[in-house]
Amino acid sequence: MRKDHDGARRMAYFLKRKPIITSLMNEEELQPVLETTSSVVFILKTDIFRIDAIVEGIRDAGKLSFVHFDLIDGIGKDKTGVAYLAEKVGIDGIVTTKNNIIAEAKKLGLLTVQRLFVFDSVSLENGIKMTKASEPDAIEVLPGMVCPRIMGRIRAELDIPIIAGGLMVDMQDYELALKSGVIGISTSSKELWRWQDQHMG
């Protein structure tokens, strides 16, 4: 499927040593996130007033910042909103469910992660079609626990890094996801953040 593997290679590189992505749910969690050894932070909820300071903190900590574009408040859900985040705020990547936002982010040189919600076989097939059309650098499958069941189907159609997200709360979730072939998981679980800090130097 993929024509340009550079972004996918970058994603795999960042997650090879530190496969647990810290998910920032609110600004109060920022300092604990910055103190982790993770390479990548997914900013799940914030607004136009707070995003600059959050991204600056993540950058100063030597981590990559990915904004969940669909959830950020106060920024238009269009190409101007993407440009603002890329050029004024200085984010490294975008997470979104929308093909048009993936396309705009790629034009601006951002890393792109397409979120796929997999509830049944129809949503899986639709997700595969969307990914083929948008060609993101990686996909995030939610809930992550379904990855072991659907990885064969995805791999038959897509050559792309896969991240497991949603309901990744403990070591069993992490180990099952990694065994299925994902390159990383995104989680707000401090237990998993601490485990990575202690065991993955």
Side-chain angles (χ1 to χ4, degrees):
M1 179 204 94
R2 296 191 58 84
K3 298 176 182 177
D4 177 10
H5 289 264
D6 183 60
R9 280 195 293 264
R10 289 179 66 197
M11 291 293 297
Y13 172 80
F14 291 122
L15 295 177
K16 185 173 183 179
R17 286 181 58 245
K18 298 289 182 177
I20 295 177
I21 298 166
T22 46
S23 295
L24 180 64
M25 298 294 292
N26 56 67
E27 195 173 6
E28 289 70 32
E29 296 291 330
L30 179 59
Q31 193 57 41
V33 164
L34 298 182
E35 292 171 357
T36 70
T37 60
S38 68
S39 300
V40 179
V41 179
F42 281 2
I43 304 167
L44 298 190
K45 289 185 180 180
T46 188
D47 59 48
I48 192 171
F49 292 107
R50 297 177 174 86
I51 186 65
D52 284 278
I54 290 172
V55 170
E56 182 179 2
I58 292 169
R59 182 169 53 244
D60 290 347
K63 308 176 190 298
L64 298 183
S65 59
F66 283 68
V67 168
H68 192 312
F69 189 73
D70 306 354
L71 299 181
I72 189 168
D73 291 330
I75 293 179
K77 302 303 185 283
D78 52 25
K79 64 181 182 180
T80 304
V82 179
Y84 176 82
L85 290 170
E87 298 171 6
K88 299 296 184 182
V89 179
I91 65 171
D92 297 294
I94 269 185
V95 182
T96 181
T97 59
K98 298 176 174 60
N99 282 23
N100 64 314
I101 299 303
I102 294 287
E104 291 298 331
K106 288 167 64 175
K107 290 177 186 176
L108 294 166
L110 296 176
L111 290 167
T112 55
V113 177
Q114 186 143 16
R115 264 193 163 189
L116 302 183
F117 291 92
V118 179
F119 305 116
D120 52 27
S121 57
V122 173
S123 59
L124 176 58
E125 292 302 318
N126 288 340
I128 289 172
K129 289 177 183 176
M130 287 176 59
T131 303
K132 286 182 175 180
S134 62
E135 296 188 345
D137 297 311
I139 58 175
E140 182 188 23
V141 173
L142 291 93
M145 64 181 63
V146 305
C147 286
R149 301 293 299 272
I150 66 172
M151 191 62 74
R153 181 72 187 92
I154 292 178
R155 284 288 174 237
E157 298 281 348
L158 304 173
D159 175 22
I160 189 171
I162 299 168
I163 297 164
L167 301 179
M168 296 282 101
V169 297
D170 57 29
M171 284 303 301
Q172 182 179 17
D173 297 328
Y174 169 77
E175 289 171 353
L176 287 173
L178 266 289
K179 284 178 183 178
S180 75
V182 305
I183 65 166
I185 71 164
S186 63
T187 181
S188 59
S189 167
K190 291 186 176 65
E191 174 190 339
L192 290 174
W193 298 357
R194 286 191 294 267
W195 180 87
Q196 178 165 258
D197 294 344
Q198 295 166 3
H199 295 90
M200 306 194 75

